[in-house]
Each structure stands twice: as structure tokens, then as C-alpha cells.
Amino acid sequence: MTALTEPTVRVRAGWTAAVVLANVGVFAAWFGPIQVLLAKQSEAIAPGNKEFVFGLVTGIGAAVSVVAAPVFGAVSDRTTSRFGRRRPWTAGGALGAAAGLLILAGAQGIALMLAGWCLVQLFGNAVLAAQTATVPDCVPVDQRGVVGGWVAVAQVPGALVGTALVTVAGGIGLGYVACAVFLVLSVVPYVLRAQDTPLAVPPPPFVLREFLRGFWVSPRRYPDFGWAWLTRFLFNVGNSLGLLYLFYYLQDEVGVADATTAVLILTAIYSVCVLTTAIAFGSWSDRTGRRKIFVIGSGLVMAVAGVILALWPTWPGAILGAIVLGIGFGVYLSVDFALITEVLPNAKDRAKDLGVINIANSFPQVIAPVIAAPIVKHFGGYPVLYLLSAAVTALAGVLVTKVRSVR
């Protein structure tokens, strides 16, 4: 098999495990800080303006991610290393993101927080772009629901591992160090053992104008790709609105005594529900050959979770919301990823096009703080925030029907 042919040989469990572990490492490095460390660090640096500082750091970091995801994807597609296209960026990206986490560990002001978090987002996306592309590179279509499900839900155990690491580590600095060490270790099995076919033919000469033009995928020419991008964007807007201020929601609205432990408990409950539904429904989607009906249903279920959190701001309500959200998000993660791999425009640009799709993951993190902070502070608080999250997620599920080439 060459690097650009459609794969036909089913991948083994060991290969899938190595790819999943690398993805878990990236998401642990992201979600440990997002869910706990950056919130606590913002509160320590600016206790009277913690929401603004937290939103500023996460928003600018997400803006870096918006650019980094497709750029590293495109560079990965053009890489001619004898080690393959994906392994060099997996290894280098992990080391770069770990360096950013270590900067955050010693940060005492906003400027260093910004510098460290932007590095984590920049190089973390190098790993993610390379790893996401391994699925259409190596996995045949009739196996992508299951394998894609495992890869897509890596963010869930990643969030759980990241939250657990920072909780066990105790201090902010030690939490960042723990995430950095885990990230580097997580990519070792893939870098050392996974097959990564080098390009047989060198890519065309690099022309900056053509390189930049390649990031525009015309929704008129590729309408299904455009609708897939829009629906993923809306899903992630709804999800970001709901999760960005979870630490402060539990601390200030629900009134739990230990918000750090509460986030860990909810993340564990949510993770179990996501993993259970993702693998089951990913396999079911492969057997039936249907994708859209599962994504539509997941959007409606996730909307119900937002309504629960808005109308029942108690600890039992938060637990029920985590269960319902986990059920819906697990179905969405596994099946939507398989759907997206089936609407990619061409094989030679897989990582770049998936990087463009990943903008739909990152850009919501830029706009979510802009929307959420004023709502929390001035326009109705957390009930309005979670009802808006529910409405956006339900809309995303409905718009999946616009994708025509996938059942």
C-alpha cells in the first residue's frame, strides 16, 4: 500500500491502541489545564477578575489552535521523511507542548500564562493533526466507525486522566509537570512501533500562494464537507459554552465545597457514559452503514443535558447532566468522525482537510469566552448560558440532515 491509496487491510488492536494513547496524551495536556489548572491559576493571579483572565488565556490559545491545526496538517501531508509523514510531527509536537506546560508551571503573571498556553495549543495541534490523519491513511471505510470511535473518544479519557493528574498532583505547578510527562510518554508506542508509510513521490514544489489557497475548501464544490464542518462547529460551540466555566459553575452556582474534586467526579461519570455509548454505537453504525441518524439523536440528547444543568443547579442535577451529556456525546464522537472521513475531498490532503475540520473544534473555544463571560456576569448567569448551549447543540443535530452523500 502507498501513502495515498485507500486502505483495504483492517488494522490490528495494537495499532489502534497506540494511536488512541497518543490522542489521550494530547487531550490530557489540554483538558487538565482547561478544566482545573488555568481556572485556579487565573483566580490566584486576578481573584477579582478571574473570568476575564481565564477567558483571555483560553481564547487566545484557541485562536492559535485555529491556525495551527490546518497548517500542521498540510505540512504533515507534504513531509517526505523516511520515518513517514505522521511520526515526526507526533514526536516533535509532544516535546513542544510539554515545554509549554513547563512554562505554565512557573508562570506568575498573565504574559507567561499566555506564552505557555499558546505553545501547548500550537504543538499539541501538531500531534493531533498527524494522529487524526492516521485513520483515513490506514483504516478501511468499513472499520472506521469502531476505530474512529476509539480515536474520537480519546478526548474523554484524556479529560479524565488530565483532571486526575492535576488533582493527585495537588499544586498548580506539579499538575502541569504531571501533564507534560504523561504527554511525552503517551506518544512513545506510536513513534516506535506504528507503521507510517513515507510518500513514494515527492510533493509538488512549495508555492506559498498555492499552499495558503489550499486551506479554502469550497462549500459549493464540496457541499457535504461544508455541512459537516458547520455541524461540527455548532456542536463544539454548544459543548464549549457548557464546559468552559464548569469549574466556576460548580463553585459559584451549585456551591460545592471542593470544585476540583467535583470536576473529577463529574468527568469520571461522563467518561464512563461516553466510552460505553461510543464503542457500542460506532459498531452499530458500521453494521448498518448509517451515520446521520445517530448524529441527529446525539444532538438532541446533549441538548437535554444543557436544560438539566440550566434548570436544576444542584449536585444531583450536575450528576444527571453529566450522565445524559456523556450518553449523547459518546454517540456523536464516534459516528460523526466516521462521517467526516467519508466526505474528505481527496486522499493527498487528508491531514490538511482534517485540520480544516479541526478548526471547527478550536474556533468555538475562541468565541465561547466572548459569549459566555458577559452572560455569566451580566445577562442571566448560568441558566441562560446552559439553555443557549442546549439550543445550539440541538440545531447542530438537525443540520446534519443536509449531508447528502452519507446515509
Side-chain angles (χ1 to χ4, degrees):
M1 186 184 86
T2 67
L4 301 182
T5 58
E6 274 294 318
T8 57
V9 179
R10 294 171 72 86
V11 297
R12 297 178 180 271
W15 181 91
T16 302
V19 173
V20 170
L21 180 60
N23 279 268
V24 168
V26 174
F27 285 110
W30 280 342
F31 280 104
I34 287 174
Q35 292 195 294
V36 177
L37 294 176
L38 290 173
K40 294 177 74 171
Q41 202 167 19
S42 299
E43 189 170 33
I45 290 172
N49 208 16
K50 61 187 180 184
E51 294 91 353
F52 171 77
V53 172
F54 180 62
L56 177 70
V57 173
T58 56
I60 292 178
V64 172
S65 182
V66 166
V67 177
V71 168
F72 275 117
V75 173
S76 175
D77 284 332
R78 296 178 60 87
T79 297
T80 56
S81 164
R82 65 186 180 90
F83 298 106
R85 295 185 294 169
R86 315 304 181 194
R87 281 197 289 184
W89 296 106
T90 300
L95 293 173
L101 289 166
L102 295 179
I103 290 173
L104 281 163
Q108 300 295 320
I110 297 174
L112 273 181
M113 281 184 68
L114 279 168
W117 187 239
C118 286
L119 283 176
V120 176
Q121 290 282 18
L122 178 70
F123 288 106
N125 273 284
V127 180
L128 191 64
Q131 288 297 295
T132 304
T134 60
V135 176
D137 279 353
C138 301
V139 182
V141 170
D142 64 359
Q143 199 184 8
R144 285 184 193 169
V146 173
V147 175
W150 278 109
V151 174
V153 301
Q155 65 178 274
V156 178
L160 179 59
V161 169
T163 307
L165 284 172
V166 303
T167 302
V168 172
I172 294 173
L174 289 176
Y176 283 123
V177 172
C179 289
V181 171
F182 181 77
L183 170 58
V184 173
L185 292 178
S186 73
V187 304
V188 170
Y190 177 82
V191 170
L192 293 182
R193 300 183 58 187
Q195 181 180 358
D196 187 1
T197 306
L199 279 177
V201 179
F206 178 82
V207 178
L208 180 60
R209 184 177 178 181
E210 294 298 322
F211 179 77
L212 296 176
R213 185 183 296 172
F215 293 114
W216 170 250
V217 181
S218 171
R220 179 172 294 180
R221 187 177 178 186
Y222 302 105
D224 283 351
F225 184 89
W227 284 113
W229 190 97
L230 178 61
T231 56
R232 174 159 282 217
F233 170 77
L234 291 174
F235 265 111
N236 281 285
V237 168
N239 201 46
S240 295
L241 288 173
L243 294 181
L244 185 64
Y245 286 108
L246 179 62
F247 182 90
Y248 296 145
Y249 169 77
L250 293 170
Q251 177 180 270
D252 301 336
E253 184 78 4
V254 178
V256 298
D258 183 354
T260 301
T261 302
V263 169
L264 176 60
I265 293 170
L266 292 182
T267 304
I269 294 170
Y270 166 84
S271 299
V272 170
C273 295
V274 169
L275 292 173
T276 301
T277 57
I279 304 310
F281 281 86
S283 178
W284 188 4
S285 175
D286 279 343
R287 291 197 305 270
T288 62
R290 300 179 69 89
R291 311 294 191 196
K292 291 191 293 187
I293 188 63
F294 295 101
V295 180
I296 294 167
S298 69
L300 299 177
V301 172
M302 290 164 65
V304 171
V307 173
I308 292 170
L309 293 171
L311 302 183
W312 195 17
T314 63
W315 180 238
I319 292 175
L320 179 60
I323 292 170
V324 175
L325 183 64
I327 291 170
F329 201 54
V331 178
Y332 165 74
L333 280 176
S334 61
V335 181
D336 187 66
F337 185 78
L339 182 151
I340 284 170
T341 64
E342 294 178 39
V343 299
L344 296 177
N346 57 71
K348 69 182 180 65
D349 294 324
R350 286 170 182 148
K352 184 267 291 178
D353 291 335
L354 284 169
V356 173
I357 286 287
N358 280 334
I359 293 175
N361 299 340
S362 305
F363 190 52
Q365 297 175 43
V366 178
I367 64 174
V370 177
I371 299 170
I375 290 175
V376 170
K377 296 280 282 188
H378 305 294
F379 300 109
Y382 290 103
V384 173
L385 180 67
Y386 281 105
L387 287 175
L388 178 61
S389 171
V392 173
T393 305
L395 175 63
V398 172
L399 289 180
V400 173
T401 59
K402 298 290 187 178
V403 178
R404 301 298 185 191
S405 63
V406 180
R407 293 175 59 204

